[in-house]
Amino acid sequence: MALHRPLLAGVLGLSAVLVAPTAATAAPATPAPAPSNAAAASHHSDSLRSLASGIGLRIGTAVNTDQLANNPTYRSITASQFSTVTPENVMKWEVVEPTRGTYDWSAADRLVSFAQANHQLVRGHTLVWHSQLPGWLTAAAPQMSADQLRAVLRQHVTDEVTHFKGRIWQWDVVNEAFNDDGTLRDSIWLQKLGPGYIADAFRWAHQADPKAKLFYNDYNIEYTGPKSNAVYAMVKNLQAQGVPIDGVGFQTHLDTQYPLPDLQANLQRFAALGLDVAETEVDVRTPLPVTPTEQSAQVAGYTQTLQACMAVKRCISYTVWGFDDGDSWVPGVFAGEGAATIYDAAFQPKAQYFALQQALALGSGAPHRTGIGAGRS
Ligand code: 9MR
């Protein structure tokens, strides 16, 4: 899940970032009555969402819906700092259809309502993936014929997109279908259905909600190399077949131990295909405990990733994968690493937060994104 080229210098070599704690930027921890959707968001002019709106860029976060329901501080920051939200887990297949044929949209519906109440757009995540599948499906799939499995997948895509029709800005239709060497991942989808499942999923999603922007989403495709080249070739191929694909999501899970050589140029080459691009799951982890040097690298990582997006007109959203260290997925997966987000576990903004704020403030002359709230054209 990470680049295998060591070199802190790649990140540190970036221009120094002034980390000026100029103004009180954390959202006030105003208690809001749970479980109200009214998060009392006062959109300060120096919030991330306000600063980004000047160039038509959406700033997002993955949302832990348990925290959203129970923690007023979490709710307040989610509402005040971000203009798009992504459900971290509650739109995944195992959550929405725990028993075959019985849907549970409740948690996802609550998030979508929260987003609407706070004038936020929603990135739907994710329809077709090899992970977080319901147990009934992984148990039954090996015995199914290709036609049976295709019908199950079609039903899932159609029912989920139909349920949220008109309320999703960007759908991650297919997630993480490639290996790092550029070959297709050996998932149940590839094994039984062959590579055509990818085009099918986009077509089914488009039929169910013709206005949603449909994305392919993956990690380790931020820089040129076998994996991003394979995704690039796939996208061109889908376009040549007339498949309705609108964008590519670059997850951007970074680690200060590895460099990020050519993100902007890579985003630009996908944009040049006529696609939207987005950074969809940004975080920058580091070995713990964090030293000042490592934190400088993390700050540079956030600045670099945001500036790359800002420089590319077709980069329409920049989403962090959770905003606080207390809720980050990183420590549970990468032993000894963490501190990957922009707020600490006590919901205080870190230098990483101020770096994003400053990049937005200094980048007000970046190209203005157009049609940002609109669906596909
Ligand atoms: O952050 C998510 C975590 O809570 C889940 O346990 C995990 C299960 O695989 O998925 C995490 O989110 C992933 C996202 O859906 C796709 N890209 C990688 C993310 C981090 O693993």
Side-chain angles (χ1 to χ4, degrees):
M1 186 98 178
L3 275 158
H4 296 292
R5 282 167 288 168
L7 262 189
L8 188 57
V11 172
L12 285 175
L14 292 163
S15 58
V17 178
L18 292 175
V19 183
T22 44
T25 48
T30 311
S36 166
N37 271 334
S42 51
H43 298 159
H44 296 292
S45 58
D46 60 356
S47 70
L48 300 180
R49 67 181 290 175
S50 293
L51 290 167
S53 69
I55 59 163
L57 174 66
R58 294 273 172 167
I59 302 289
T61 183
V63 173
N64 175 321
T65 51
D66 291 335
Q67 281 280 45
L68 195 72
N70 300 318
N71 184 334
T73 303
Y74 186 94
R75 200 157 50 240
S76 176
I77 295 172
T78 303
S80 61
Q81 295 294 331
F82 302 99
S83 49
T84 175
V85 291
T86 307
E88 184 173 7
N89 286 302
V90 297
M91 284 188 192
K92 292 172 179 173
W93 197 339
E94 70 173 4
V95 176
V96 300
E97 196 182 8
T99 305
R100 189 168 184 181
T102 305
Y103 290 114
D104 180 0
W105 310 112
S106 55
D109 282 345
R110 282 194 292 275
L111 177 60
V112 171
S113 298
F114 177 92
Q116 289 177 336
N118 291 289
H119 309 290
Q120 296 166 318
L121 298 178
V122 180
R123 295 197 81 261
H125 177 84
T126 175
L127 297 169
V128 185
W129 196 21
H130 63 278
S131 181
Q132 291 183 280
L133 296 169
W136 62 262
L137 176 61
T138 42
Q143 287 82 47
M144 289 184 193
S145 68
D147 283 348
Q148 287 171 328
L149 188 63
R150 189 179 296 104
V152 168
L153 184 62
R154 179 176 193 158
Q155 183 95 48
H156 164 67
V157 171
T158 301
D159 288 354
E160 178 146 12
V161 176
T162 300
H163 178 80
F164 294 107
K165 184 179 179 186
R167 296 182 293 163
I168 302 293
W169 180 38
Q170 306 172 16
W171 263 117
D172 287 335
V173 177
V174 177
N175 194 43
E176 303 176 2
F178 284 90
N179 298 310
D180 281 352
D181 67 2
T183 56
L184 280 170
R185 184 189 292 273
D186 188 26
S187 65
I188 58 167
W189 311 121
L190 183 69
Q191 286 166 11
K192 280 256 159 116
L193 309 181
Y197 81 86
I198 296 175
D200 284 344
F202 279 92
R203 290 189 174 110
W204 298 329
H206 180 62
Q207 276 169 16
D209 187 352
K211 293 205 172 142
K213 286 181 183 279
L214 305 183
F215 273 63
Y216 176 78
N217 190 55
D218 213 329
Y219 60 84
N220 284 357
I221 59 168
E222 294 77 26
Y223 48 94
T224 51
K227 190 172 187 177
S228 73
N229 293 346
V231 172
Y232 184 82
M234 173 194 72
V235 169
K236 280 183 80 163
N237 189 265
L238 292 175
Q239 290 179 317
Q241 295 174 62
V243 174
I245 181 167
D246 302 298
V248 173
F250 300 77
Q251 293 185 7
T252 321
H253 292 293
L254 304 185
D255 187 320
T256 57
Q257 300 176 97
Y258 311 115
L260 180 61
D262 56 359
L263 173 61
Q264 184 180 323
N266 194 40
L267 293 176
Q268 190 60 59
R269 77 169 170 151
F270 280 85
L273 294 176
L275 295 168
D276 290 325
V277 294
E279 291 178 49
T280 54
E281 306 185 12
V282 182
D283 51 21
V284 187
R285 61 186 183 269
T286 197
L288 299 173
V290 185
T291 65
T293 304
E294 297 285 0
Q295 192 175 11
S296 297
Q298 292 179 296
V299 165
Y302 274 101
T303 300
Q304 182 189 12
T305 52
L306 179 54
Q307 287 181 337
C309 180
M310 292 169 72
V312 176
K313 190 174 157 70
R314 295 298 299 263
C315 187
I316 59 175
S317 61
Y318 178 95
T319 295
V320 294
W321 202 242
F323 56 83
D324 63 296
D325 286 341
D327 292 298
S328 170
W329 68 291
V330 167
V333 174
F334 296 94
E337 294 195 68
T341 75
I342 59 175
Y343 286 75
D344 68 18
F347 295 102
Q348 293 305 306
K350 304 193 296 187
Q352 289 87 324
Y353 169 90
F354 295 112
L356 293 185
Q357 192 188 39
Q358 186 174 48
L360 291 168
L362 294 176
S364 57
H368 197 284
R369 277 114 258 261
T370 46
I372 200 74
R376 73 194 312 263
S377 46

